[in-house]
Structure formats: structure tokens, C-alpha cells
Amino acid sequence: MSRFGWRELYVKGMPKLLSLVAALKRKVEERLPKLYSHFEKNGIYFEGLFSPIFMTVFMSCAPLGLAVRIFDLFLVNGEQALTECALNILELMQAEVTKLKQEAVYVYVKGDMIAECYEKFNFATVANLHQNY
């Protein structure tokens, strides 16, 4: 884990965590402008929404089978695999997320969104395995 500087995720100020969330935010703004605009309009903070997901490497919010496979991708490809998986899930579930307002977005994304995505799509789609990390 030292290869990835993962300790920085948990030290004072959480620089690695903020860096991961900022990277995801930039990617959402670029690839999913409609969703980004929806988050902005509803006062959704990426830090509050995605910090628990990154801090637990998806273990806190994804079905175990998916979380373990995402963890494997993380070990092989590094943190980019985490931001890409999060981005892919948001892209696949964008229609559902944009129907929700404020607090409901937090509840859905931290709760059922990832499990629903995994039920609707296979792991290769969720992880976008045809993409080069």
C-alpha cells in the first residue's frame, strides 16, 4: 500500500482522500456535465458523498462480490481504478440520480445505487474493463 501512498488517505488533512475526490469531481464535470450540473444545483458536495466510498475501497457500500473485485482492480491498477469505477457507476445510474434532489441523492448514492448498478449490469460493465487504466 505504500506504493500508492495510501497512508495519506488517513493522516491529518486527508490529502490523498481530497485528491481522489477532486479527481472524480473533474472527471464527472468532463464526462457527465448533466450530472455535475445536477449536483451543483442541489448543493451536493463530492467530499461528503464519495469520501466513505474511497476510504473503504467500496467495501462499505457495494455488495461483497463487487467490492472484492474492485479491490483487486485497485491492487493491480492503483487508485485510478477506484475513480474510474465510481465514474462508470455514476454514468450507468445517471438517469436515476438526476431524478433525486438534495438529501435523497446522498441516501441513494451511499446506499442502494452501487448494488442496483451491479444487479442491472455485469462487473465488466461496471468496471469498464475494456478501458486501459
Side-chain angles (χ1 to χ4, degrees), residues 32 35 87-100 108-109 112-121:
L32 307 170
L35 182 63
L87 185 63
N88 295 335
I89 291 167
L90 285 171
E91 186 171 20
L92 293 167
M93 302 305 286
Q94 182 174 207
E96 287 81 356
V97 175
T98 55
K99 292 176 187 172
L100 304 171
Y108 182 66
V109 170
D112 297 332
M113 181 184 74
I114 296 172
E116 285 180 18
C117 186
Y118 188 46
E119 287 174 15
K120 285 184 173 181
F121 305 98

Side-chain angles (χ1 to χ4, degrees), residues 22-37 39-40 46 87:
L24 178 63
K25 186 176 181 178
R26 279 190 306 276
K27 290 177 181 188
V28 170
E29 186 175 16
E30 291 169 7
R31 244 174 67 183
L32 307 170
K34 184 178 176 183
L35 182 63
Y36 182 83
S37 175
F39 282 177
E40 290 287 305
F46 279 76
L87 185 63

Side-chain angles (χ1 to χ4, degrees), residues 7-131:
R7 182 181 180 280
E8 300 297 311
L9 193 74
Y10 303 100
V11 299
K12 186 175 181 175
M14 301 177 157
K16 177 66 89 175
L17 178 62
L18 295 177
S19 172
L20 283 169
V21 172
L24 178 63
K25 186 176 181 178
R26 279 190 306 276
K27 290 177 181 188
V28 170
E29 186 175 16
E30 291 169 7
R31 244 174 67 183
L32 307 170
K34 184 178 176 183
L35 182 63
Y36 182 83
S37 175
H38 181 72
F39 282 177
E40 290 287 305
K41 187 173 80 176
N42 284 279
I44 304 299
Y45 295 98
F46 279 76
E47 296 80 7
L49 198 54
F50 294 100
S51 292
I53 293 170
F54 289 140
M55 288 184 80
T56 63
V57 192
F58 285 81
M59 292 290 179
S60 66
C61 58
L64 184 59
L66 176 61
V68 168
R69 293 176 90 178
I70 291 173
F71 190 76
D72 286 344
L73 284 176
F74 165 67
L75 291 176
V76 172
N77 300 308
E79 62 202 37
Q80 183 181 356
L82 301 179
T83 56
E84 287 300 319
C85 284
L87 185 63
N88 295 335
I89 291 167
L90 285 171
E91 186 171 20
L92 293 167
M93 302 305 286
Q94 182 174 207
E96 287 81 356
V97 175
T98 55
K99 292 176 187 172
L100 304 171
K101 304 280 189 243
Q102 299 169 335
E103 187 65 29
V105 172
Y106 285 99
V107 171
Y108 182 66
V109 170
K110 289 180 174 182
D112 297 332
M113 181 184 74
I114 296 172
E116 285 180 18
C117 186
Y118 188 46
E119 287 174 15
K120 285 184 173 181
F121 305 98
N122 62 32
F123 172 71
T125 303
V126 170
N128 200 7
L129 291 180
H130 62 275
Q131 152 186 318

